[in-house]
Amino acid sequence: GVKAPAEGRHTVYVWLRDGAGNADHTTAVAISDAMWYDGTSPVTVVSHSAATGLNGWHVEPVTFAMSATDTGSGLREIRLQVDDGPWQAVGGSYTLAQEGRHIVRISAVDQAGNLEPPHVFDMPIDFTPPQTIITGPGLYQPNARFEVSWTAIEGASGVAAYDVYARDGFSGAWQMWLQATRLTSAQFDGQRGRT
């Protein structure tokens, strides 16, 4: 039934009282730091830096920097969880280099077992440029107007849009044909005798 008066370490003084109510405080025994109470969670400061591309996607691995403080029992560890994986103890930094959309949770725990509510980060990562595949017509066309098709091999973020260029001959300057299009094919108006 003894309660700590406040958070922190407390010294307990014990002395005896007999059935008649006699007590001698000079015989008290002091027990230093006999009662420790910490009901406050640690506090973690988290920052991360990575180049951000379109629509919030990070275009390089993301490094988290973490520091935690605990004024009570002291810090035990900083923990990190990626997606639904296991919690793992990390030091002051962690680099996430796996492409895809990830949820990262970071939390600290102190020596008393108090868990900090997790800091949650939505981390979409895609640092691989798409590869375009053009399925144009055969080498020679009987008509000046012909269809050109294209697609992209893209993993994490998907294709936002296509910019399609054409040039006159192998050494001509590239000219914009279609800009920021979602199309994957179009009719090209060429000129007879030209490449």
Side-chain angles (χ1 to χ4, degrees):
V2 177
K3 293 183 179 179
E7 289 193 49
R9 297 181 180 190
H10 303 280
T11 299
V12 174
Y13 298 90
V14 180
W15 61 88
L16 301 177
R17 178 178 298 161
D18 65 17
N22 298 311
D24 183 1
H25 296 97
T26 61
T27 63
V29 175
I31 306 171
S32 296
D33 295 335
M35 188 180 297
W36 295 14
Y37 171 53
D38 179 3
T40 304
S41 301
V43 176
T44 306
V45 176
V46 181
S47 63
H48 62 82
S49 62
T52 304
L54 298 175
N55 303 315
W57 283 84
H58 297 281
V59 293
E60 62 185 32
V62 178
T63 298
F64 293 89
M66 301 155 279
S67 63
T69 56
D70 185 78
T71 57
S73 58
L75 182 68
R76 182 189 307 164
E77 65 186 19
I78 299 173
R79 309 174 320 142
L80 180 137
Q81 180 188 44
V82 178
D83 299 325
D84 292 324
W87 284 93
Q88 55 185 317
V90 293
S93 68
Y94 178 84
T95 299
L96 180 62
Q98 183 180 0
E99 291 185 295
R101 184 173 287 279
H102 303 285
I103 300 296
V104 176
R105 295 173 187 86
I106 298 172
S107 172
V109 60
D110 66 16
Q111 297 293 344
N114 295 308
L115 288 171
E116 174 188 30
H119 301 262
V120 180
F121 300 92
D122 181 14
M123 285 289 127
I125 300 174
D126 182 359
F127 47 82
T128 303
Q131 295 179 355
T132 305
I133 300 171
I134 298 176
T135 53
L139 187 59
Y140 296 101
Q141 293 300 305
N143 300 314
R145 183 176 178 88
F146 52 90
E147 183 167 315
V148 178
S149 300
W150 55 88
T151 187
I153 299 172
E154 172 60 23
S157 63
V159 175
Y162 295 94
D163 289 337
V164 185
Y165 292 81
R167 65 181 177 183
D168 185 6
F170 291 108
S171 60
W174 287 105
Q175 302 293 322
M176 179 69 72
W177 174 33
L178 301 170
Q179 184 174 14
T181 182
R182 301 282 296 170
L183 296 174
T184 56
S185 67
Q187 294 289 321
F188 184 79
D189 291 320
Q191 297 178 28
R192 291 192 179 276
R194 307 300 286 269
T195 301

